[in-house]
Amino acid sequence: MKPINLSFSACGFLAVYHLGAASALCRHGRKLLKDVKAFAGASAGSLVASVLLTAPEKIEECKEFVYAFAEETRGQVFGAATPGYDSMARLRSGMESLLPPDAHELAHSRLHVSVSDTKTRENALVSSFPCREDLIQVLLASSFVPLYAGLRPVEHQGQRWVDGGLTNSLPILPVGRTVTISPFSGRSDISPRDKGQLNLHLTVANQDVTLSVANLARLRQVLFPPRRTELESLHQRGFDDAVRFLLEEDRFEQDA
């Protein structure tokens, strides 16, 4: 059997969709998760991948963090770009509370985080984490949207990095089959199936998406979070889409 990888797309506050999918995999796809060789992700997708790999028992706690972070951001005059509001510090606090002390050891060689080099504008997949702080720095770098999150890119190992979603928003690993997860309708394995969508697709930063009104609405929500009720609906949709995938793959398991 080919090795299986899981890859979570860049998606900002739509990460609640990923968390819904991750929750479904933990509940109904335990055998599939045991077969997963590596995890990958860009931006917010890399954060979800890191929690699913190193602390799956905290998926629900991570969801509540995103809800609170979204509400806090909505309360700012200009969202995360409001002068004096440090969204990256808030994100770091979440990572500090969610990732276990040995997260870097669990993630080493198994987690592939997409980041963008500010000098060459090329993509890199980082999978080596000498210490927990290195892991957190790489995750923060992958989520750093220039101007929106601040003016100074994240420095790591003498280089400056920004959002991995700018250059590779849905990493496909070279060995085995990569199961892709995205809150945008398109050709990903786990993604919404919008009603009445046109069969027109666009590939942006390695992610295939459908040209649809629904995706345009989702695009805005990446940086400008919707209300909690909408986030809850998105979380449920991620859960349902992952269950559909498991059923189609004949890998669905009933709760123990």
Side-chain angles (χ1 to χ4, degrees):
M1 179 182 292
K2 287 184 178 180
I4 293 177
N5 312 303
L6 287 182
S7 183
F8 295 82
S9 72
C11 61
F13 287 103
L14 300 187
V16 290
Y17 178 92
H18 286 332
L19 290 166
S23 180
L25 292 174
C26 288
R27 185 179 301 180
H28 299 296
R30 293 178 293 275
K31 290 182 180 177
L32 182 143
L33 286 177
K34 288 180 180 178
D35 292 336
V36 173
K37 178 181 180 181
F39 296 74
S43 196
S46 68
L47 304 179
V48 176
S50 69
V51 175
L52 182 58
L53 170 58
T54 68
E57 73 281 0
K58 290 192 175 182
I59 289 295
E60 288 302 306
E61 184 180 334
C62 187
K63 179 190 71 174
E64 292 303 321
F65 167 76
V66 175
Y67 286 163
F69 187 21
E71 187 63 28
E72 184 178 295
T73 302
R74 279 179 56 81
Q76 306 300 315
V77 177
F78 300 110
T82 301
Y85 179 64
D86 193 341
S87 62
M88 296 303 287
R90 186 72 177 89
L91 196 56
R92 169 182 274 276
S93 70
M95 290 296 96
E96 290 281 5
S97 65
L98 292 166
L99 297 178
D102 62 345
H104 59 292
E105 297 174 356
L106 296 170
H108 189 74
S109 297
R110 291 195 69 199
L111 177 66
H112 301 259
V113 181
S114 174
V115 292
S116 303
D117 190 322
T118 58
K119 184 177 294 185
T120 65
R121 299 183 181 179
E122 294 181 350
N123 181 261
L125 289 179
V126 181
S127 59
S128 177
F129 312 103
C131 64
R132 185 170 180 268
E133 176 60 22
D134 272 319
L135 172 59
I136 291 175
Q137 283 290 98
V138 172
L139 292 172
L140 289 175
S142 186
S143 301
F144 184 90
V145 179
L147 299 180
Y148 179 81
L151 299 176
R152 299 182 62 182
V154 177
E155 292 190 20
H156 175 66
Q157 295 185 349
Q159 291 178 269
R160 293 184 177 182
W161 306 93
V162 294
D163 198 320
L166 299 174
T167 52
N168 187 356
S169 63
L170 187 56
I172 304 298
L173 301 182
V175 178
R177 175 193 177 188
T178 298
V179 174
T180 52
I181 306 169
S182 173
F184 296 97
S185 59
R187 294 194 176 98
S188 294
D189 295 295
I190 300 175
S191 67
R193 293 180 180 175
D194 298 330
K195 295 181 179 179
Q197 66 183 29
L198 298 175
N199 192 30
L200 298 175
H201 296 262
L202 180 67
T203 301
V204 180
N206 201 42
Q207 181 173 184
D208 177 280
V209 297
T210 301
L211 292 177
S212 67
V213 173
N215 271 344
L216 288 176
R218 293 177 186 120
L219 187 61
R220 182 185 183 279
Q221 294 172 339
V222 168
L223 298 180
F224 301 97
R227 298 183 183 280
R228 175 159 181 151
T229 53
E230 295 176 86
L231 291 173
E232 289 173 344
S233 295
L234 189 62
H235 179 272
Q236 185 62 49
R237 186 158 194 179
F239 186 98
D240 294 341
D241 288 342
V243 167
R244 184 187 65 219
F245 168 78
L246 291 169
L247 288 170
E248 291 174 346
E249 294 277 316
D250 195 25
R251 286 177 171 270
F252 181 83
E253 303 171 60
Q254 295 290 350
D255 288 339

